[in-house]
Structure formats: structure tokens, C-alpha cells
Amino acid sequence: MDGVAQLQKQLVDFTDSLFQEGFLDEQFNQLQQLQDESNPDFVVEVVSLFFEDSERLLNELAKALEQKTIDFRKVDAHVHQFKGSSSSIGAQRVQKVCIAFRNYCEEQNIEGVKPWHRCLKCLQQVKLEYSLVKNKLETLFKIEKQLIAAGGSIPT
Amino acid sequence: MENGFPSTRNDSFPAGLRVLVVDDDPTWLKILEKMLKKCSYEVTTCGLARDALNLLRERKDGYDIVISDVNMPDMDGFKLLEHVGLEMDLPVIMMSVDGETSRVMKGVQHGACDYLLKPIRMKELRNIWQHVFRKKIHEIRDIEGHESFEGIQISRNGSDLSDDGHMFCGEDMTSIKKRKDFDNKYDEKDLGDHSSSKKHRVVWSVDLHQKFVKAVNQIGFDKVGPKKILDLMNVPWLTRENVASHLQKYRLYLSRLQKESDLKASFGGIKHPDMHLKDPAGSFGLQSSINTNQNDVANGRFQFSAHKLFGQDVNVKIQEGDLKGIFSEHMPDTKKTLNADNPDPQETSSHMSFDHSFATLGSEVNYEAFDCHIWNEAPKIELKREHKPLLQLEDGFSQLPPCAPEHHVKTDKLHPVPSVTSGLSLTARDVSGPIKNEPLYAEYQGNRVSHVSPKKCAIESFPIQSKGHMVVNHQSYEPVSTAISSMKPQGFNLSCLTDFDYCQRNLKASDSTLAPFNETACLLQGDFHNKYFGLPNIEFTDCNDPSFIAEIPVHWYDTLTSDYECPLDPTEYSIFDQGLFIA
């Protein structure tokens, strides 16, 4: 039982840290609340969907920025989509960089930095935040799995 | 499953509410599905707008409400919204991660009954049933109002209406009664009766709609009216009201299409039914903000987008007696910016289909007679005070201020008043009926403000027939007066106004043809009361002669801004207030 208690503590602490550091927000809690007996793996399923869709979106985004002539509207559309997506699971930091992405790219008068440069930079940021939150969530799920394997239950 | 709600729903409404969710984001789709299931709703999900439309068409009456994302790859959420409203008349809720006011406004203008911001909370979804409920209630009320309106119309209408009128009389009484019953029942949340109630929602299948369109084309858009369409369609179980409300939506839809192709400007669409002609003093419902973009089909009934009317002859039935002349809505203030985005004659068509006679306008719309009925359904036209249509309805009819008011008419070159003479304001609101908005001009009668428009009003070529025509001159400024005078308002509908308004909005003022839009729209028979909106340049002279309508100065539309709010200048306003509005 020690193991279970320990895992539980680990889980709680880790989850708390994610919220505190802004990786996740209230929406994630909502997801957790939606999980029930009829859908015991709801959160994992949703997050997996998110990961899949995000990879696709990020690829599209990268492609759009690689074009000879960049279609900024398309870029904006992708970013908007990603923003919406990340809001679904509460990936707050990702959402924030998406917002910044759009603002930054729209800004007209940034000296010395070409629009597509800016966009590339922003893309880097987005990718970074995305991979961070992905790692965090994967860790979270791992702990949960271990907890359940050890016979414990996820604290609500 | 029977029409309407399944029996199980009666007991536990809103449980079992049939929701269709449309979102291209798979993550959100899954989450929403789960959330809605938790609310005990019956959920169907769709990743593509087209699929959603197909589903809706296949299972008519198979859903109670639609929730859709705004940004979708295959179809714009607003378009979907329009289609749903037009064909199925279901409440639609929009969602987006983008909460910008302009977007939200666009949603509302297009007829969304709500706009949710992502991330969406469960509690927000729990309450969506109220939209379904509300819509039912409104439909019932509108029908009632409509009928009573028709009753009045019958009494005063001219030859044209007599047939319709008589036909309606009998129908009205019984239907009103039945509706009331229904309403009561409904209030008790006894939805089981829904399907058996008098008014069961007609689902406009593709076939039915095709028949409808065929009939409309056969008759000729400018001469179209629900009765004629109904006769041609030859669908026994279809009622005139059904056709009327559908026609309304159709017009809006067409005008939107037109607008899209012609206009670039974003003018406010027609305000949909929610526009209320608020009290005369000032709430000219015509809000320039009327969103012409989309007709709020969802909401009903009125979205007249002048847009739609444009090019088509909208039959405006001006309530006789009431409409004394055509109101040329004077844009009191050029800066009011009639948002008539009247880009060019064609455009106006989309919105203002009022202009029939304006030959110049390609897209003139002849509103021969707005079908009052249609209007009735959506009595509320929110006319913002700003532009009060010049309608002067004589007898306190709720004169709808010409829709134009709200638009900003952009006139780059003050052209002679564009053919938009929106006689719109004439929409006689259902006098007795649910005129929710006080007629804007209710009291135009006393008001005679004639403005002289330096530029000629294009109104002139109004082919005003015995029925009131909303003459919308978009482009050609022709003296409207003639046309106007001939206008005999039979029954102006509010909807006219809205339509007008809509049109106006859409009119791009590039030609400044729109200017007269607001004004002239209402030509009431003979007696011409001009509503002075406070156009600075306009001199209003008391003139009963519609001819002055022609004068609607183009310059009224000075700068078209896409922003339709044309707040009336307080000073200008005061002019109106005097007896302008019928409280």
C-alpha cells in the first residue's frame, strides 16, 4: 500500500505542478470530470486525439511557412485552428503562444524582422510548447497507469 | 420516431433533446459529444458541414438543435447557419475560440441563437434547450400575430389582397385559436402535442424547396407572394404561412448571395426579427447594423435582407391608408452613414430589393408589394433610430421606418440618390399583431418633413403599384416621387423595412445611390410625409408630394462606412420625435 500511496502522492503533486506552471488549465479539470464508468479512459482518448490532430496541424503549418510565397491567411487559419484545438484540453501555454503567433505575425512594423521570419520564430515557440505539454501529459498518464496497476485508484 | 419530440421527451424535457454537433476539430467533437451526453441529450456528431446538411436533409425533423463551429474547412459556419435556417428552421448555436465582438455579431446577425466561446463548459451546454423552446413559442406567437395582422389587412386591402384576405379570415380564427391552445399546452411543457399542434414545423425538403423555387421563378420574383406560390406549388398540406415565412428566408438568402457576389462591403445585414422598431421616438429599428450578411434565418422570420429583395420584386403591401406616401427616408444626416453599402446597383439588389422601377439599377428590385404576411411574421425590425425610414404611415400604422436608416450609405460621389428608395419603412408592421417594435414612424403623419434632395431620387421609377413598393433606389437616382406617389401602401410590412434596411445596408454607397434608400422607401400613397432624419443638407419642406422624394439628396450618404450604426444625431432626432413615431 505504500507504493500506492506514494504513487498517488506523486500523481497529485505532478498534476498540481502542471496547473501551477500553466501547462494546463481549468478545461483539463472539466475533462477529468467527464470521465466516468462508461468512459473510463476518456481523458487519455481525448488527449491522444489532440496529439494526433496537432501533429497534423503543425505539419501543415510548417509546410505553409516553407512556401515560396507564404499565404499568411492560411498560416493564420492553421494557427487559429491549433489554438482552438489546444483549448479543448486546456493546454494553456500552447494556446498563449498561438495567440502571440497571430499577433506577432500581424504586426506590421517590426523593424528588421521579416514577416516570415517572425512566423518561423513563432512556429518554433509553438512547437516547443506543444512538445513540453505532450511530455508532461504522457508522464501524467504513465503515473496513472502505474497507480492503477498497483491497485490504486486515481484521486478525484 | 414521430415528428416532433419523441414521446419520451415529454416527461423529461429537455432530456432527449436531439442535438447535431458540427465541428472539424476531432478533439472538440469528442468532448462536446461527451458533454452533451452527460446532459442526457441525444447527440449526433459531424466533422463536415456538408455531411451535417445531408444529415439534416435526410432526417427532416430529426433534430432539435444544431451546434456548429464557425471555422470549418469545407464551409463557412455562417453559411451553414443560413442553410439550416432556410431549409429546416432549426435553432443554431455557433461556437468558436474567437470571441471578437464582430464575429459574435456576425453570428447573431446570421441568425444564430447563441454564440459560445471555446473552451465550452458543461453548464453552457445544459441550457441550450431554452433556444428550442423559445423558438417554438415565438413561432406560435408570430403566427398569431401574423394572422391578426392579416385580418386587418383584409379589411383594408385592395383588390390584390382580397382573395388572400378572405381566405385568411376563416383560417385565422381557427388557427389562432388552435395556436393558443398549443401555446398553452406548450407552456406546460407538454411537448407531446407538439407534433399534433396546429402549427407543426414544416421541414423544407429539397424537393419542397425546389417546388417553391420553381413557383417563385414562374411567377416572377417581383410579383411573388405567398398565395401565388402556394397555389402554384400545389402542395395540399402546406399553408400560406409556411410559404410566407419560407419566402422571407429565401429572399434573405438570395440577397445574401447577391451581396456576396457583388458587394464586398460589409454592411450590416438586415436585422432580423429582433430588430424592433422600438418606440417611435427613437428606435428605428433599422439598425444599420442590420446584418445583411446573412439573414437570420434562424431567427426567423424576418431577416429581410434587403439584400435579398434586391433584384426581386418584393411585394410590399403597404397598408393602405397608412402609408401615405413613400417615405423617403431622409437620411438625416449624411454622416449617418446609411450603411447602404450600395456598391452599385446590383448590389442593392441584394439588399434592397426595393427598387423596382429604377431601371438603372440592374438589380432593381421591385417591391411591388411586400408581402405583408411575410413581414408580419417578423415584425420586429429593429430600426435604429438613425435612419428612420421616411415612411409616413398615415394612420399610425406601425410604420416601419425605412430600413434604410441604419445603413451607412456610402456615397462616394454623391450621386443622385440612388435608386434605393427604400420604401422599406413601410413595412407595415403588423398593426394589430405583434408589432414588437413600435413603428418607427408611427406618427409620421403629422410629420411632414420633406426634404429636398438635391440629387434626384431615383425613386421615381418606382413602379409602385397599388401596393406599396419599397422602392429602393440604389443606384439610380430618379425622382422617386412619381413612383412614390403611386404607391399605395397596402400593407407595409415591417419586413419590408427590414428588408429595406437590409438592402440599404448592403448598398454600398459607392454610388451614393443608396442615399435615398432610407428615405424614399416608403412612399405612401399620396401623402408624403417625409421623415426628416436630420439630414443636414436636406431641407425639409412640408410636402405631401412624393415628388420630393426624388430629391433625396444623395449626399446624405456621405460616407459609407461599413459600420452601420448611424446614430442619429440628437438634434436631428428631435425632428423626428415630433410625432414621428407611434409609440
Side-chain angles (χ1 to χ4, degrees):
Chain A
M1 286 310 117
D2 214 17
V4 169
Q6 211 175 14
L7 280 170
Q8 271 184 348
K9 182 166 186 323
Q10 201 184 350
L11 184 63
V12 169
D13 288 347
F14 187 69
T15 313
D16 284 349
S17 74
L18 290 186
F19 280 92
Q20 276 167 21
E21 290 165 28
F23 285 103
L24 294 176
D25 65 18
E26 169 62 27
Q27 177 65 13
F28 193 75
N29 282 334
Q30 291 264 311
L31 289 190
Q32 289 176 316
Q33 284 167 23
L34 285 175
Q35 187 159 291
D36 57 17
E37 301 76 42
S38 63
N39 274 124
D41 296 317
F42 183 69
V43 181
V44 175
E45 283 168 13
V46 172
V47 173
S48 310
L49 260 181
F50 168 69
F51 288 158
E52 265 173 49
D53 203 42
S54 302
E55 313 277 336
R56 182 189 61 87
L57 268 176
L58 287 174
N59 281 339
E60 303 263 326
L61 195 50
K63 251 195 329 204
L65 287 172
E66 281 163 17
Q67 303 298 312
K68 281 223 173 101
T69 17
I70 297 181
D71 182 354
F72 285 104
R73 272 187 7 187
K74 219 168 173 205
V75 170
D76 188 71
H78 286 311
V79 176
H80 182 83
Q81 232 185 317
F82 196 48
K83 178 178 163 207
S85 217
S86 55
S87 73
S88 72
I89 64 158
Q92 199 184 63
R93 280 164 65 143
V94 176
Q95 226 185 324
K96 288 202 171 135
V97 294
C98 284
I99 296 174
F101 191 140
R102 296 177 89 198
N103 291 341
Y104 192 41
C105 284
E106 281 166 19
E107 241 180 278
Q108 298 299 323
N109 308 317
I110 297 187
E111 298 284 331
V113 189
K114 294 215 172 74
W116 70 271
H117 273 154
R118 290 183 240 154
C119 286
L120 279 181
K121 255 176 70 178
C122 289
L123 179 60
Q124 309 275 5
Q125 295 233 293
V126 170
K127 278 184 163 166
L128 176 64
E129 286 297 338
Y130 168 71
S131 38
L132 280 177
V133 80
K134 183 159 188 262
N135 282 337
K136 299 281 184 183
L137 285 169
E138 282 170 345
T139 310
L140 182 72
F141 294 146
K142 213 164 67 173
I143 304 177
E144 278 182 357
K145 243 174 158 174
Q146 287 174 343
L147 177 58
I148 299 198
S153 56
I154 301 176
T156 41
Chain B
M1 191 180 292
E2 78 247 21
N3 251 10
F5 300 140
S7 50
T8 50
R9 297 235 235 132
N10 295 350
D11 315 326
S12 52
F13 183 81
L17 198 72
R18 296 159 306 168
V19 186
L20 177 66
V21 186
V22 191
D23 197 333
D24 62 318
D25 185 329
T27 323
W28 268 116
L29 212 53
K30 191 176 171 77
I31 296 176
L32 289 168
E33 184 185 28
K34 182 72 184 164
M35 282 187 180
L36 290 165
K37 283 200 170 133
K38 278 229 158 173
C39 298
S40 311
Y41 294 154
E42 234 181 71
V43 189
T44 313
T45 58
C46 233
L48 287 175
R50 293 193 202 288
D51 293 345
L53 271 179
N54 289 339
L55 273 179
L56 286 165
R57 286 174 182 148
E58 279 167 30
R59 287 181 64 205
K60 315 265 156 81
D61 235 22
Y63 301 98
D64 298 310
I65 188 167
V66 179
I67 303 184
S68 169
D69 189 71
V70 166
N71 301 93
M72 288 189 290
D74 65 330
M75 191 193 291
D76 186 10
F78 297 121
K79 265 217 191 87
L80 176 64
L81 171 56
E82 239 180 45
H83 279 290
V84 174
L86 196 68
E87 295 175 34
M88 296 112 203
D89 195 24
L90 288 175
V92 183
I93 296 180
M94 306 300 293
M95 313 180 276
S96 180
V97 67
D98 179 3
E100 254 176 66
T101 308
S102 59
R103 299 294 279 174
V104 178
M105 193 179 298
K106 193 171 178 195
V108 176
Q109 285 170 331
H110 280 58
C113 45
D114 207 349
Y115 192 106
L116 302 179
L117 289 191
K118 288 178 170 174
I120 300 182
R121 299 275 178 268
M122 269 278 285
K123 54 188 174 198
E124 293 171 315
L125 292 180
R126 272 195 204 283
N127 283 335
I128 62 174
W129 62 266
Q130 62 178 286
H131 301 295
V132 179
F133 191 65
R134 190 183 300 123
K135 203 170 173 72
K136 304 264 176 287
I137 305 253
H138 283 178
E139 280 172 353
I140 294 162
R141 289 204 192 122
D142 282 341
I143 299 290
E144 287 175 355
H146 178 62
E147 286 166 351
S148 49
F149 177 71
E150 282 176 355
I152 292 177
Q153 234 184 325
I154 291 165
S155 58
R156 24 171 111 199
N157 87 14
S159 48
D160 281 6
L161 292 176
S162 41
D163 284 354
D164 290 359
H166 292 311
M167 264 188 1
F168 263 114
C169 268
E171 203 181 302
D172 287 357
M173 295 306 114
T174 39
S175 9
I176 287 178
K177 246 209 288 213
K178 287 187 184 147
R179 297 247 166 61
K180 288 208 154 86
D181 287 345
F182 178 74
D183 206 350
N184 292 340
K185 286 192 191 144
Y186 207 92
D187 285 343
E188 293 157 15
K189 294 235 186 130
D190 181 357
L191 295 173
D193 281 0
H194 178 58
S195 48
S196 56
S197 75
K198 197 72 222 168
K199 177 180 161 24
H200 79 280
R201 179 163 21 113
V202 168
V203 181
W204 284 84
S205 66
V206 180
D207 289 338
L208 197 59
H209 186 68
Q210 291 297 347
K211 278 200 180 137
F212 170 82
V213 175
K214 220 166 88 181
V216 169
N217 293 335
Q218 235 176 304
I219 299 172
F221 199 86
D222 49 344
K223 302 208 232 353
V224 83
K227 179 173 181 328
K228 290 182 184 158
I229 299 175
L230 186 63
D231 291 341
L232 262 180
M233 278 176 75
N234 196 21
V235 176
W237 52 269
L238 201 60
T239 72
R240 196 181 178 295
E241 287 116 29
N242 299 141
V243 177
S245 73
H246 193 71
L247 179 61
Q248 195 171 345
K249 292 179 195 154
Y250 183 62
R251 283 178 172 148
L252 285 171
Y253 167 73
L254 285 180
S255 65
R256 181 188 74 80
L257 289 185
Q258 177 101 34
K259 175 173 101 72
E260 264 179 8
S261 54
D262 302 330
L263 286 179
K264 259 56 108 79
S266 51
F267 33 84
I270 288 194
K271 237 349 182 347
H272 32 284
D274 294 339
M275 292 210 315
H276 295 260
L277 287 178
K278 264 297 166 158
D279 66 321
S283 42
F284 275 102
L286 284 183
Q287 261 174 6
S288 38
S289 50
I290 288 187
N291 202 338
T292 44
N293 281 339
Q294 322 274 326
N295 45 263
D296 281 354
V297 177
N299 275 346
R301 334 307 157 125
F302 319 119
Q303 305 192 338
F304 266 98
S305 24
H307 213 28
K308 288 230 234 197
L309 296 182
F310 195 66
Q312 300 160 5
D313 285 342
V314 176
N315 282 338
V316 178
K317 288 206 211 136
I318 300 182
Q319 297 280 337
E320 58 189 2
D322 295 336
L323 302 175
K324 271 340 179 82
I326 294 188
F327 267 74
S328 4
E329 190 162 5
H330 303 280
M331 296 300 256
D333 191 359
T334 29
K335 63 175 198 250
K336 290 286 180 275
T337 40
L338 272 183
N339 195 350
D341 257 343
N342 189 2
D344 51 56
Q346 285 69 35
E347 309 261 346
T348 28
S349 46
S350 45
H351 303 293
M352 306 239 288
S353 21
F354 304 158
D355 179 14
H356 337 296
S357 44
F358 292 104
T360 55
L361 291 183
S363 41
E364 273 119 14
V365 176
N366 273 322
Y367 287 120
E368 306 242 83
F370 272 109
D371 189 340
C372 292
H373 297 297
I374 299 186
W375 301 89
N376 269 341
E377 294 175 30
K380 336 178 221 247
I381 296 194
E382 218 167 330
L383 295 174
K384 269 247 251 196
R385 287 163 158 232
E386 320 299 343
H387 307 284
K388 301 303 177 146
L390 301 176
L391 285 179
Q392 307 231 339
L393 295 178
E394 271 271 302
D395 54 37
F397 214 81
S398 45
Q399 279 103 24
L400 298 175
C403 308
E406 319 263 286
H407 335 288
H408 296 287
V409 176
K410 228 190 319 205
T411 51
D412 293 343
K413 15 183 191 193
L414 283 182
H415 260 20
V417 170
S419 43
V420 175
T421 16
S422 18
L424 285 181
S425 24
L426 288 185
T427 36
R429 268 212 291 171
D430 177 356
V431 185
S432 56
I435 296 198
K436 297 173 177 125
N437 307 315
E438 315 294 354
L440 293 178
Y441 309 101
E443 315 294 356
Y444 276 48
Q445 295 144 33
N447 228 356
R448 274 84 151 35
V449 184
S450 52
H451 49 276
V452 179
S453 55
K455 322 300 170 100
K456 36 232 224 93
C457 296
I459 303 190
E460 155 169 272
S461 35
F462 244 94
I464 301 187
Q465 302 188 358
S466 48
K467 317 210 191 152
H469 298 276
M470 292 269 257
V471 178
V472 171
N473 280 330
H474 296 294
Q475 325 271 331
S476 49
Y477 286 66
E478 271 148 23
V480 194
S481 46
T482 31
I484 299 178
S485 37
S486 54
M487 253 221 311
K488 192 187 179 30
Q490 295 282 326
F492 230 92
N493 265 327
L494 253 188
S495 42
C496 287
L497 271 183
T498 31
D499 233 320
F500 190 79
D501 195 0
Y502 190 67
C503 291
Q504 287 195 332
R505 286 185 199 276
N506 293 325
L507 292 176
K508 280 215 241 193
S510 50
D511 277 1
S512 69
T513 44
L514 286 184
F517 199 62
N518 295 334
E519 280 92 21
T520 44
C522 320
L523 279 182
L524 301 177
Q525 359 185 300
D527 207 359
F528 195 87
H529 297 272
N530 286 327
K531 193 79 212 87
Y532 174 70
F533 280 163
L535 284 166
N537 315 340
I538 299 186
E539 279 178 280
F540 285 80
T541 54
D542 191 13
C543 103
N544 284 354
D545 179 340
S547 54
F548 69 81
I549 297 184
E551 315 288 291
I552 296 190
V554 128
H555 59 262
W556 281 346
Y557 301 93
D558 42 10
T559 32
L560 258 195
T561 51
S562 45
D563 163 24
Y564 351 104
E565 313 271 283
C566 250
L568 265 184
D569 228 80
T571 53
E572 283 151 349
Y573 228 43
S574 54
I575 294 182
F576 293 66
D577 281 349
Q578 306 153 15
L580 277 183
F581 301 100
I582 300 177

